[in-house]
Amino acid sequence: MFYEVDKHSGIPSYIQIMNQIKKEIIIGNLKKGDSLPPVRELSKIFNVNVNTILRALERLEFEGYLEAQHGVGYFVRTDMDLKNSVFNEVSSFVEKMKKENIDLETIKLLLEEVWRNEQFSE
Amino acid sequence: MFYEVDKHSGIPSYIQIMNQIKKEIIIGNLKKGDSLPPVRELSKIFNVNVNTILRALERLEFEGYLEAQHGVGYFVRTDMDLKNSVFNEVSSFVEKMKKENIDLETIKLLLEEVWRNEQFSE
DNA sequence: CTAATTGTTATAGTTAACTATAACACAAAA
DNA sequence: TTTTGTGTTATAGTTAACTATAACAATTAG
């Protein structure tokens, strides 16, 4: 489910961790009420210090994704419940982009740009 | 064309700068042979120190996007030349996602996940 | 109640990113 | 050649991210 952070990517570890957890919630692998592994375990999984885990979890709590229960654990607080149609749209989009041999990084930047500028929609 | 970096986003400034420049190349605002503004000017535009500009530019040079000419300037080395069809695909994708009220952050994470897993393509 | 499991806080030190400032080096124009 | 505009390098200091380690606090199981 989770994988080690890349410590040489330039992106702070706690942000990578936040994104991994968010992603699991978005795709529905983590649902409302589910518990996360204990922080000491997460620390081993992501290969970072407990404090770094805590920083990520606290931010996700602040953003409303998680809830902390002292002595018990961290729990998912939101359900994404994306429609299947959304998944299908994303899949077919990815497929098209791969056929054009465009890499993920490029797509993300292009997407950001188009997202910001509305002039493309008819 | 360029805008200030967000110093509180957690993402290192030099990476934000790299992404902004890459984005201009991707969407075709910067073409092969074009020069960038002088580093001291970029420093003012992005509101960071010259050294931070240099770090971003050197990485982009290493990645093949730019070329430095001592005493002259930085020049774009690559042409993206994305097809119009690609832009159209992205636009219509963005439109659909906006209609579903999904935010950009979520889309990017979802996209990453789908990109990594091939099981969706027929 | 006690022990085990979990989250929380604190301290001290390291490293990478960033800043300010200045000097140096190359190229082009006057 | 001199000046101006450009990239380049260096030094020193600040801050944020991260680490290691330890202790403390709340919950649950026995």
Side-chain angles (χ1 to χ4, degrees):
Chain A
M1 196 177 207
F2 298 125
Y3 40 92
E4 265 191 50
V5 300
D6 177 359
K7 293 182 180 175
H8 305 294
S9 68
I11 309 295
S13 300
Y14 77 96
I15 290 193
Q16 294 183 52
I17 293 166
M18 287 175 68
N19 282 339
Q20 281 197 46
I21 296 175
K22 272 188 195 172
K23 199 188 294 180
E24 291 301 316
I25 295 176
I26 289 169
I27 67 180
N29 285 347
L30 285 175
K31 294 190 181 305
K32 193 171 178 176
D34 286 354
S35 67
L36 292 187
V39 295
R40 289 167 182 81
E41 224 176 284
L42 289 172
S43 165
K44 285 174 198 156
I45 294 174
F46 288 111
N47 192 27
V48 299
N49 191 268
V50 179
N51 300 305
T52 307
I53 295 293
L54 260 299
R55 179 185 300 216
L57 297 186
E58 276 161 10
R59 296 218 177 191
L60 287 174
E61 191 179 15
F62 179 79
E63 291 184 13
Y65 287 94
L66 299 179
E67 185 176 14
Q69 285 191 42
H70 196 169
V72 187
Y74 271 91
F75 297 88
V76 177
R77 217 169 148 275
T78 50
D79 250 338
M80 274 291 174
D81 252 340
L82 288 181
K83 296 180 197 161
N84 270 332
S85 63
V86 171
F87 280 96
N88 290 336
E89 287 297 348
V90 175
S91 302
S92 91
F93 176 67
V94 165
E95 208 176 310
K96 284 172 195 158
M97 293 302 109
K98 283 192 173 178
K99 274 182 187 151
E100 298 282 349
N101 268 318
I102 309 179
D103 65 302
L104 181 55
E105 181 67 13
T106 300
I107 290 293
K108 284 202 280 185
L109 293 175
L110 189 50
L111 201 62
E112 262 179 32
E113 184 63 23
V114 174
W115 198 276
R116 193 164 279 129
N117 303 321
E118 296 283 5
Q119 77 273 22
F120 291 100
S121 33
E122 86 283 40
Chain B
M1 197 176 206
F2 298 125
Y3 41 92
E4 266 191 49
V5 299
D6 177 359
K7 292 182 180 177
H8 305 295
S9 68
I11 309 295
S13 301
Y14 77 95
I15 290 191
Q16 294 183 51
I17 294 167
M18 287 175 67
N19 282 340
Q20 281 198 44
I21 296 175
K22 271 188 196 174
K23 199 189 292 180
E24 293 301 315
I25 295 176
I26 289 169
I27 66 181
N29 286 346
L30 284 175
K31 291 190 182 302
K32 192 171 179 178
D34 286 354
S35 68
L36 291 186
V39 293
R40 289 169 183 81
E41 224 174 285
L42 288 173
S43 166
K44 286 174 197 157
I45 294 173
F46 288 111
N47 192 27
V48 298
N49 191 268
V50 178
N51 299 306
T52 306
I53 296 293
L54 261 297
R55 181 186 298 215
L57 297 186
E58 276 160 10
R59 295 219 178 191
L60 287 174
E61 189 179 16
F62 180 78
E63 289 183 14
Y65 287 95
L66 299 178
E67 184 176 15
Q69 284 191 41
H70 195 170
V72 187
Y74 270 92
F75 297 88
V76 177
R77 219 170 145 274
T78 49
D79 252 336
M80 273 292 173
D81 252 339
L82 288 182
K83 294 179 200 164
N84 269 332
S85 63
V86 171
F87 280 95
N88 291 336
E89 287 297 348
V90 175
S91 301
S92 91
F93 176 67
V94 165
E95 208 176 312
K96 283 172 194 159
M97 293 302 109
K98 283 192 172 178
K99 273 180 188 154
E100 298 282 350
N101 269 319
I102 309 179
D103 65 302
L104 181 54
E105 181 65 14
T106 300
I107 290 294
K108 284 201 281 186
L109 293 175
L110 188 50
L111 201 63
E112 261 179 33
E113 184 61 23
V114 174
W115 197 277
R116 194 165 279 131
N117 303 321
E118 295 284 5
Q119 77 272 20
F120 292 99
S121 34
E122 87 288 37

